[in-house]
Amino acid sequence: MQILDGKKTSIDIQEELSQKVRQITNSGKKAPHLAAILVGEDGPSKTYVNAKVKACQRVGFKSTLIQLNSNVSEKELLNQVDLLNKNKDIDGFIVQLPLPKHIDENKIILAVNPEKDVDGFHPENVGKMTLGLPTFLPATPNGIIELLKRYNIPTSGKNTVVVGRSNIVGTPISILMSRKNYPGNSTVTLAHSRTENLKEICSNADILIVAIGISEFISEDMIKQDAVIIDVGIHRVKDSSKKNGFKLLGDVKYKEVAHKSSYITPVPGGVGPMTIASLLMNTYIACYGRDK
Ligand code: NDP
């Protein structure tokens, strides 16, 4: 078993970006500028946004954090999105999800200028991804693709099972793994809560990507010997033995699954850091284009 070390890979990517940005800014060009809108006081959302802002600082990007009260109106949020769309100094921005229930997330996603949509959630970018055109790939699926690439994991002709069909993880990674490319060329099964015989389907997976949001759902008896396991789930579970009072678990029972797998992402330190690296890569592209 080998660990797919998302933390190390993310640091490698950040160092590469940092070097490139230093060279470009030394020649007099601006640094990439990422903005993030955070609505409300949700603990995990705050943690994610802060991690994104800190990562920007590490690689020499500019960052702007816009914090809004949880009772902000949809109109005011749309107004903030419009300001960022028009602000020439901002290359890309994200609106951290989930949003409070009184705000229609789809309306907000549609309002983001696709050219600044570094989360890759706008339908124009989703459409381009589906057609295999250059675009901003959604951060988490793009992070998984990058990790598979950097570890040279064979994907062509493999049975890839994705469990979970959300718009931000499961559905886009199923599209990316089936496209005519590397990583890709897999035979993909997309499973969800209505799937019958999930255990049997997972047991046939050469590559199993799990994004269901249920802590330690996948057990040893659900995986094939030597499968590649990508665990997207993140769950904070109370743990008084930890300094901060909680530990992080994934959607996979890591301890019992790891020894049966060929490669596995840990939680923490797997897909999470790759999501951040991927957002930075998209912001770099938003600023300088694809070929630098
Ligand atoms: P969602 O809750 O949006 O989607 C969950 C999916 O899992 C749904 O498609 C649902 O099916 C399916 N599902 C739920 N229960 C079952 C079941 N018993 N059997 C099979 N399928 C099931 O989750 P997200 O995709 O947003 O996130 C998934 C996990 O990944 C979460 O733990 C989240 O915190 C984490 N995450 C981590 C990120 C990272 O950077 N590491 C980034 C984003 C998310 P149905 O559609 O039928 O309801």
Side-chain angles (χ1 to χ4, degrees):
M1 181 276 290
Q2 195 182 334
I3 287 176
L4 294 171
D5 190 340
K7 191 173 171 191
K8 184 191 170 296
T9 310
S10 172
I11 290 170
D12 290 347
I13 293 170
Q14 291 178 41
E15 276 170 6
E16 290 161 19
L17 285 174
S18 167
Q19 272 183 21
K20 289 202 274 186
V21 168
R22 209 174 310 129
Q23 269 181 10
I24 295 172
T25 51
N26 281 347
S27 76
K29 285 194 180 149
K30 78 189 271 296
H33 189 170
L34 174 76
I37 301 180
L38 174 64
V39 181
E41 296 292 320
D42 178 58
S45 290
K46 263 186 166 174
T47 310
Y48 298 146
V49 167
N50 286 334
K52 290 167 188 173
V53 168
K54 268 194 193 149
C56 281
Q57 288 161 0
R58 269 200 303 275
V59 297
F61 289 10
K62 261 175 86 178
S63 62
T64 298
L65 175 59
I66 298 161
Q67 284 184 280
L68 303 171
N69 280 330
S70 57
N71 59 4
V72 66
S73 67
E74 188 177 275
K75 197 173 164 209
E76 175 50 24
L77 181 55
L78 284 168
N79 186 40
Q80 288 290 339
V81 168
D82 191 43
L83 289 174
L84 292 177
N85 282 338
K86 287 178 179 150
N87 185 334
K88 290 210 166 69
D89 193 54
I90 306 276
D91 301 296
F93 66 96
I94 60 163
V95 182
Q96 184 67 39
L97 302 180
L99 292 170
K101 290 216 160 53
H102 66 278
I103 296 173
D104 182 346
E105 275 184 9
N106 284 331
K107 249 192 200 173
I108 306 300
I109 289 169
L110 276 167
V112 175
N113 175 352
E115 288 179 13
K116 293 191 176 189
D117 171 39
V118 285
D119 253 342
F121 293 163
H122 191 283
E124 186 175 316
N125 289 327
V126 177
K128 284 182 175 172
M129 173 193 70
T130 308
L131 295 175
L133 299 171
T135 187
F136 297 121
L137 297 178
T140 302
N142 192 26
I144 296 170
I145 290 292
E146 193 64 29
L147 198 56
L148 293 172
K149 208 190 282 177
R150 289 190 180 230
Y151 277 84
N152 294 314
I153 306 286
T155 60
S156 180
K158 302 293 178 193
N159 280 330
T160 292
V161 173
V162 178
V163 193
R165 59 177 164 186
S166 72
N167 290 340
I168 60 167
V169 187
T171 296
I173 192 64
S174 74
I175 293 168
L176 293 172
M177 289 301 286
S178 63
R179 72 184 175 171
K180 216 171 182 173
N181 211 336
Y182 175 75
N185 280 323
S186 270
T187 306
V188 176
T189 305
L190 181 55
H192 44 77
S193 68
R194 308 292 172 89
T195 297
E196 289 176 7
N197 305 324
L198 184 66
K199 184 174 164 182
E200 194 186 318
I201 290 168
C202 291
S203 307
N204 276 321
D206 302 307
I207 301 171
L208 180 64
I209 302 176
V210 192
I212 62 176
I214 303 175
S215 157
E216 299 198 309
F217 181 85
I218 299 290
S219 48
E220 184 186 7
D221 57 340
M222 294 174 84
I223 77 150
K224 185 175 173 177
Q225 182 68 43
D226 295 328
V228 175
I229 309 291
I230 307 290
D231 186 355
V232 182
I234 308 177
H235 308 274
R236 282 179 190 227
V237 180
K238 273 190 187 159
D239 184 346
S240 54
S241 71
K242 300 273 177 193
K243 222 171 158 187
N244 54 10
F246 66 86
K247 63 179 172 185
L248 294 176
L249 293 177
D251 286 350
V252 173
K253 284 193 172 110
Y254 182 84
K255 276 187 191 149
E256 62 175 62
V257 167
H259 76 98
K260 201 174 169 185
S261 66
S262 56
Y263 292 88
I264 187 166
T265 58
V267 178
V271 174
M274 289 306 294
T275 298
I276 292 184
S278 171
L279 179 68
L280 295 174
M281 292 192 286
N282 277 349
T283 306
Y284 179 92
I285 292 168
C287 181
Y288 301 129
R290 254 159 226 285
D291 295 318
K292 285 218 173 88

